[in-house]
């Protein structure tokens, strides 16, 4: 097969994905050429190439080492990935708010509030923080 056999019109998405792949290769070469680069730095750059190539392959409809994915599948995956990122950010924000409330310390003193209700509110805040922290740990792959 020659290059003339494969010529076609490329979409903007395909071109962008391909440029991302080329950028990852260039970054890998830069990292590897740097005198102080560790093996970990070099391997991280290599994995970035793999991720960029995978993205390009999926966007361009290349079926390398897996079954084909339809353009609709790719859009769905990108949409779900975006939604997960948004949810992770919401969890991160809510957790930060709870930590802020806890550090302000207004719940440390009961004041005129009913002791049972005060205790319940403190417990709920602590439990909410625990749930959100565990969700963040899971989202971060810990």
């Amino acid at each position: 097969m020659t290059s003339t056999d494969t010529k076609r019109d490329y979409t903007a998405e395909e071109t962008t994905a391909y440029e991302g792949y080329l950028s990852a290769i260039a970054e890998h070469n830069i990292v590897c050429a740097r005198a102080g680069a560790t093996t970990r730095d070099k391997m991280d750059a290599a994995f970035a190439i793999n991720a960029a190539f995978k993205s390009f392959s999926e966007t361009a409809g290349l079926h390398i080492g897996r079954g084909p994915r339809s353009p609709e599948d790719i859009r769905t995956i990108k949409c779900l990935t975006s939604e997960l990122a948004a949810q992770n950010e919401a969890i991160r924000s809510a957790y930060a708010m709870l930590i802020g409330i806890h550090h302000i310390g207004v719940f440390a003193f009961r004041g005129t509030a009913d002791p049972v209700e005060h205790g319940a509110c403190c417990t709920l805040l602590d439990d909410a923080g625990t749930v959100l922290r565990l969700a963040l740990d899971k989202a971060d792959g810990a």
Side-chain angles (χ1 to χ4, degrees):
M1 179 182 280
T2 67
S3 62
T4 56
D5 295 331
T6 60
K7 286 186 179 177
R8 65 183 179 91
D9 291 327
Y10 299 106
T11 67
E13 273 186 322
E14 289 171 328
T15 303
T16 300
Y18 183 65
E19 288 171 354
Y21 169 58
L22 292 179
S23 293
I25 291 171
E27 180 64 27
H28 176 264
N29 291 340
I30 291 167
V31 168
C32 289
R34 196 170 53 231
T38 65
T39 300
R40 181 182 179 96
D41 295 335
K42 294 173 186 178
M43 290 178 68
D44 286 347
F47 279 100
I49 289 174
N50 183 57
F53 181 72
K54 187 175 181 182
S55 174
F56 165 65
S57 297
E58 287 181 355
T59 303
L62 300 175
H63 310 299
I64 300 171
R66 60 165 176 74
R69 285 190 178 149
S70 70
E72 183 59 33
D73 288 344
I74 294 168
R75 281 191 292 277
T76 300
I77 290 167
K78 286 182 180 179
C79 180
L80 291 174
T81 301
S82 175
E83 287 178 19
L84 279 174
Q87 289 175 1
N88 286 345
E89 189 55 36
I91 291 169
R92 206 171 299 284
S93 179
Y95 184 59
M97 290 176 202
L98 287 177
I99 294 298
I101 289 169
H102 180 70
H103 284 288
I104 290 170
V106 286
F107 285 101
F109 305 102
R110 184 168 45 100
T112 59
D114 181 318
V116 174
E117 290 176 355
H118 178 264
C121 288
C122 290
T123 300
L124 287 171
L125 279 174
D126 288 343
D127 289 351
T130 300
V131 169
L132 289 170
R133 183 182 44 76
L134 291 173
L136 281 176
D137 287 347
K138 186 175 182 179
D140 291 338

